[in-house]
Amino acid sequence: MRRRTSLAAALAVGTAWAASACGIPTGKAPEIIDDAPSDFGESSGTSVEVFEPTADAAETVGNFLRAAAGDPASRDDRLNKFTAAGSTKFSDPTLGLRLVDHVNVSVEGGGNPLESANVKVTGTVIGVYSHQDGWARMASPYAYEETFMLRRDGGLQDPWEIQSLPSQVSLDYEQFLDSYTESPLYFQTDQAELLVPDLRWIYDDLDADTRRRLLLDWLLRGPSEIPGQSSVTAIPIGTVGKVSTPDGVVEIDLQLDEPVDDRSIQDAMAAQIAWSLNLVDGFVLTADGDTIAEGSLADWRDWNAIPSDLPQTAYFIAEDQVWEYSGEGVSVTSADHPWVGFTAEGLRQVSVGPADQLAAVVAGAAGEVLQVGPTDAAMGAVAGLGNALTDPQWHPVSALIVLSDGVPVVVDPNTRTVVQTLPVGEGVTAMSLAADGRRLAYVEDGEAWVTTLIVDADRNLLPGEARRIGTDVEDVTDVAWSSENFLWVAGQRGNDTLFNIALDNSHTSVQPGTSGLVFSEVAAVPADPVESVVNRGDPVLAVANQTLYRIHTASGPEGVRNGTAAVGGTAPFTVLQ
């Protein structure tokens, strides 16, 4: 419920930490975790597994349900290896691949087992993957049942051929998880020099030229429906393009539907291409034969709201005071961060904004109060709010968002007045703003949701369509951004209580070691977006039973220690430097 992230903090990152005192001194250094998991489709570096018919009928059908994965241009060629004619026309690729979970393959009795076999497949269709439109999870998954009729010449070692085929091509969901990689596209927002992601998935073992060709094709189509509510493409719709690599340099040649002479638009086009195609090694961009940009992704690195090289630090509240957490331990002093050590009677939550401004929720006699101000001067209370306040968040358009009696409210930090309310539910219990300020994750009725945020011409914030995240996770208490495209969700699904979930619900990673722990709060440093397959940053702090835990990648939660004693911290938050 209490991830606090500054979106425009101005100070450089420091690394000198002072020794702690006052009840929670540094103890043993917490373990530094390994790299975040990137096994959602990450290439193993080995040769691509080829799925073909075999002399085993069940294995043949199982392979058929995996063979659709790969380059969409050669999909039918791979599938026709299983057919008698070898030239069957399958369902149109624009219909996408039905993703079947919990696949069960069994051979039914009857017929001549040397020459014919009926293979029954059951499972659950949970979504559709389209190479053009990405992943779409079914609102209501439905049962999959298909019987495949197979024949062969009669030899025990002869491979089986499939005679009857499904009406729409399907893919084993486990194969999708194993072989497709997170590869977001990027589009410009209303704000100059700011890109937001549109989550897509691409087959991992494509050669570099094919991969870039596909990504450019997707990019030229513009954003998908929900991301498109808060972003636009700088590249004119109707543009066609090609990618080549003469002399080893990636060249993107666009034929524009309409000429673009505005230098800022050309720059935005280059930024979208550099980020979407992940062109870290450089490229040249031409439009209608003229070179309009050249460089590498590094030249447009600051178009992303998540800075590079974020330190492994987070913050929390204990004894009415802000504490710092790092690999060195915990401390109430910092030579670099003036908000460390901030104290106020009844301090509940803190969020750090531009130029080290603080937004602090403080318990008062008549209810909770939001105080705003610089750390080195007196802070003032914001008028016009309710009595139950939580989760202050700094928005990039020089505003604060805070939950006031269950409703998100936008506050002007300069005048300390309410500007507007956001029509995002009436009983919101927690929220977390993405670094780009164009997406808001929130909790209502024990469910996690994400909505787009649109900034209109008057700089008002307007919510777009909301999507539930983790449709099978109940009793949600908090959310935090794990990366641009993944969300930490603290809730319940069986014995599991902490999850890392893709925004399109295509992937759910269960955090190990959480059985028996019910988390009330979670905060995280988001992953570096340049490493698109890394879906979690470090550190991740969470609170269960008023005890502060660090969440490790594989080994599970570890209690933050004060020597041998557990730290009873609450309200963890992070700051983007």
Side-chain angles (χ1 to χ4, degrees), residues 16-326:
W17 309 104
S20 170
C22 305
I24 311 182
T26 54
K28 71 169 187 176
E31 173 192 355
I32 303 299
I33 67 172
D34 295 331
D35 290 340
S38 55
D39 55 348
F40 295 136
E42 185 179 7
S43 173
S44 64
T46 60
S47 59
V48 180
E49 186 174 5
V50 176
F51 298 105
E52 295 181 337
T54 71
D56 183 289
E59 183 180 48
T60 295
V61 172
N63 284 348
F64 179 78
L65 292 172
R66 297 181 180 93
D71 185 351
S74 56
R75 182 201 70 174
D76 285 5
D77 293 337
R78 295 190 300 275
L79 296 180
N80 266 307
K81 292 180 180 180
F82 294 83
T83 66
S87 58
T88 300
K89 185 174 179 58
F90 294 89
S91 59
D92 193 299
T94 60
L95 294 176
L97 306 173
R98 292 184 298 180
L99 297 175
V100 184
D101 198 12
H102 305 301
V103 171
N104 180 66
V105 182
S106 59
V107 179
E108 297 186 318
N112 183 343
L114 294 179
E115 298 179 352
S116 65
N118 292 334
V119 177
K120 183 177 181 180
V121 181
T122 59
T124 303
V125 178
I126 62 171
V128 174
Y129 171 76
S130 166
H131 72 276
Q132 294 181 355
D133 302 319
W135 157 279
R137 178 173 284 275
M138 295 289 184
S140 299
Y142 60 90
Y144 174 90
E145 182 174 318
E146 198 91 46
T147 299
F148 294 80
M149 298 175 60
L150 284 72
R151 292 191 61 83
R152 64 179 175 183
D153 293 337
L156 286 174
Q157 301 305 314
D158 289 341
W160 290 97
E161 295 177 341
I162 299 176
Q163 304 293 308
S164 62
L165 297 166
S167 59
Q168 183 178 348
V169 175
S170 301
L171 175 64
D172 189 324
Y173 177 57
E174 291 300 323
Q175 185 63 36
F176 172 79
L177 294 179
D178 288 343
S179 58
Y180 283 79
T181 299
E182 178 185 350
S183 190
L185 305 178
Y186 289 87
F187 297 96
Q188 190 178 25
T189 69
D190 54 274
Q191 179 181 331
E193 301 188 3
L194 176 63
L195 300 177
V196 294
D198 181 350
L199 180 57
R200 305 293 179 93
W201 300 89
I202 195 166
Y203 186 65
D204 191 52
D205 283 305
L206 298 173
D207 64 79
D209 289 339
T210 301
R211 181 187 184 91
R212 286 190 288 261
R213 174 181 57 79
L214 276 174
L215 291 174
L216 180 62
D217 179 59
W218 298 352
L219 183 67
L220 296 180
R221 296 173 185 271
S224 54
E225 182 179 1
I226 292 181
Q229 295 173 356
S230 61
S231 65
V232 295
T233 179
I235 305 171
I237 298 297
T239 296
V240 295
K242 62 180 181 180
V243 184
S244 58
T245 53
D247 302 322
V249 177
V250 177
E251 292 187 3
I252 296 96
D253 181 27
L254 303 181
Q255 299 298 313
L256 303 181
D257 186 59
E258 56 187 67
V260 174
D261 299 322
D262 188 313
R263 182 63 241 172
S264 64
I265 297 178
Q266 293 176 348
D267 201 28
M269 292 167 57
Q272 286 186 205
I273 288 172
W275 273 96
S276 299
L277 277 61
N278 196 32
L279 298 173
V280 295
D281 295 324
F283 69 102
V284 175
L285 174 62
T286 62
D288 297 330
D290 296 326
T291 299
I292 62 173
E294 54 186 317
S296 69
L297 189 151
D299 296 308
W300 289 270
R301 178 63 183 81
D302 58 359
W303 283 58
N304 195 292
I306 298 178
S308 58
D309 301 322
L310 287 171
Q312 292 189 351
T313 53
Y315 309 88
F316 63 94
I317 294 173
E319 300 176 348
D320 292 340
Q321 194 169 24
V322 175
W323 293 76
E324 184 175 70
Y325 172 90
S326 75

Side-chain angles (χ1 to χ4, degrees), residues 404-415:
S404 175
D405 293 338
V407 177
V409 173
V410 180
V411 170
D412 184 333
N414 297 314
T415 62

